[in-house]
Amino acid sequence: MKRLLYILFILPLMLTAQIEPVVQDSTVVEYILVDGDSIPKTAIDLNEVLLLHKLKFSSKEDRITYLILKRKTLKVYPYAKLAADRLTTLSERLEKLESKRAKKKYAKKIQKYIEDEFSTELKKLTRTEGQILVKLIHRQTGTTTFGLIKELRSGWRAFWFNTTASMFDISLKEEFNPMEVKEDFLIEDILERAFQNRQLERQKPAIDFDFYDLTDKWLNNKATAETKN
């Protein structure tokens, strides 16, 4: 009888000792509010990644043309990005200044800084590199190079810059239009691949377009043209 009581007393203790405590999940759970109710957010936000089409060229010449355009685009894009960054800084600073005199003084200071920063390097660009840069400045700022010069300086200075650029077959009024210009679409394709490969730092464009729409248009046009031939 004593042995039986001993077993009945000890057995629960042994079973209890064998059960390991459950470790509570310490993961921080975020909640979102929907119609006043708190709902746990279990999904993980990921950066959007565009699925790029496989590069195909109809000829060796087309492939060489693309590679040359790629080299030039990768070279000048950082300048366009820098111009957009400087313009954003300038705009934000000017909004905080109250007097016209202070704004004018600060604007001139930034203009001189940009000119000194860019002039030496820009002189090394070829004609085609310069034209690509003009297009990318429009892509990044939403304003043509001519418009920026006109805004920061005077209309006459903008006219002079454009006239001088025209001597080298460069238009400062050129816009980035990948929906209508095949070369601009190829430039955007080059940029998107460089962003995904981390060759270039991504900067959101100031103009609106959809890369998938561009791809559909130009690839479909190409397929249609090949079918007719």
Side-chain angles (χ1 to χ4, degrees), residues 23-208:
V23 178
Q24 297 295 326
D25 187 1
S26 59
T27 302
V28 177
V29 178
E30 295 183 7
Y31 291 86
I32 56 176
L33 294 177
V34 179
D35 295 333
D37 295 330
S38 297
I39 301 176
K41 181 181 178 182
T42 57
I44 300 176
D45 293 330
L46 298 176
N47 294 329
E48 180 182 2
V49 177
L50 294 176
L51 298 179
L52 302 176
H53 61 280
K54 184 177 181 180
L55 287 176
K56 294 182 180 180
F57 303 99
S58 58
S59 65
K60 180 180 179 181
E61 288 72 20
D62 286 346
R63 182 175 183 276
I64 293 176
T65 299
Y66 180 89
L67 293 177
I68 293 176
L69 183 62
K70 177 181 178 181
R71 176 177 57 80
K72 295 177 182 295
T73 299
L74 296 181
K75 178 180 179 180
V76 303
Y77 172 80
Y79 296 117
K81 181 180 180 301
L82 181 61
D85 290 337
R86 294 290 184 268
L87 184 63
T88 299
T89 301
L90 174 61
S91 300
E92 292 176 350
R93 177 60 177 167
L94 289 178
E95 290 179 359
K96 297 179 181 179
L97 299 176
E98 297 182 357
S99 68
K100 292 183 178 180
R101 182 179 180 182
K103 290 183 178 181
K104 186 175 181 180
K105 183 178 180 180
Y106 181 75
K108 286 185 176 181
K109 180 179 179 181
I110 293 298
Q111 290 160 20
K112 186 178 186 305
Y113 174 75
I114 293 176
E115 289 175 358
D116 293 342
E117 189 174 34
F118 274 90
S119 59
T120 303
E121 293 300 323
L122 295 185
K123 290 178 182 178
K124 300 177 183 178
L125 299 181
T126 65
R127 180 192 63 80
T128 54
E129 289 170 348
Q131 192 64 79
I132 293 173
L133 175 60
V134 168
K135 289 184 176 183
L136 290 181
I137 287 178
H138 176 255
R139 179 189 187 274
Q140 300 309 124
T141 66
T143 306
T144 63
T145 304
F146 181 89
L148 290 175
I149 296 173
K150 184 178 181 180
E151 178 181 352
L152 297 177
R153 291 289 190 173
S154 65
W156 167 250
R157 186 174 178 85
F159 170 78
W160 177 254
F161 266 72
N162 193 61
T163 302
T164 304
S166 297
M167 296 173 60
F168 300 96
D169 197 22
I170 296 176
S171 172
L172 300 183
K173 296 181 180 179
E174 193 78 21
E175 297 183 353
F176 185 71
N177 189 2
M179 183 59 75
E180 302 299 332
V181 181
K182 178 67 176 294
E183 181 182 82
D184 292 357
F185 162 68
L186 294 177
I187 290 175
E188 187 61 33
D189 180 87
I190 291 168
L191 289 178
E192 188 57 45
R193 295 176 190 278
F195 294 151
Q196 293 197 20
N197 294 333
R198 298 185 179 181
Q199 288 179 274
L200 295 176
E201 182 180 353
R202 184 185 295 275
Q203 185 185 62
K204 185 178 180 180
I207 59 177
D208 294 328

